[in-house]
Amino acid sequence: MSLAPKSLRALKDIRMLEITWSDGSAFRLPFKLVRVECPCAQCIHEITGERIIQPDSVPEDIHPIELGYSGNYALKVVWSDGHASGIFTWERLHSLCSHIAAVKV
């Protein structure tokens, strides 16, 4: 199975990122969860792997300002708090859908 999603939608009214995978499965991830799980060096210590960003520091009304592709392998998000350095690979997003509080659609 190719890990690339078939579709990505930001559902701002319910604060969820909806991902439909190529196998037809669909999940909704809360915006705040996706922001907190950002894999960039500003959010995770590069050497220790320890999470730097504190969940309480992310506003409840966080939302993507812009969604874009990074090549054919990842999602780039510009967030309403100004953060824009995280790149979510398809594998990372798939893992979030499979293992964290995602809502299966």
Side-chain angles (χ1 to χ4, degrees):
M1 170 181 95
S2 168
L3 279 180
K6 191 161 61 170
S7 71
L8 292 162
R9 293 188 321 153
L11 305 173
K12 290 183 180 181
D13 56 330
I14 60 171
R15 298 184 184 150
M16 297 272 197
L17 177 64
E18 185 176 85
I19 305 169
T20 303
W21 296 100
S22 56
D23 68 356
S25 64
F27 294 88
R28 289 181 177 169
L29 295 167
F31 291 155
K32 183 171 179 171
L33 172 77
V34 178
R35 173 63 184 91
V36 168
E37 291 294 324
C38 179
C40 82
Q42 292 176 348
C43 297
I44 295 180
H45 192 280
E46 290 181 86
I47 296 170
T48 66
E50 181 180 346
R51 185 151 304 281
I52 298 168
I53 186 171
Q54 298 299 313
D56 292 344
S57 71
V58 177
E60 291 298 323
D61 64 349
I62 192 82
H63 59 276
I65 299 294
E66 185 178 327
L67 296 175
Y69 292 103
S70 183
N72 291 323
Y73 71 96
L75 173 68
K76 179 141 179 63
V77 183
V78 177
W79 294 100
S80 58
D81 66 355
H83 188 70
S85 59
I87 295 175
F88 294 85
T89 63
W90 303 143
E91 290 83 8
R92 177 82 175 138
L93 283 175
H94 195 268
S95 178
L96 288 174
C97 289
S98 299
H99 298 106
I100 299 187
V103 177
K104 190 162 183 168
V105 179

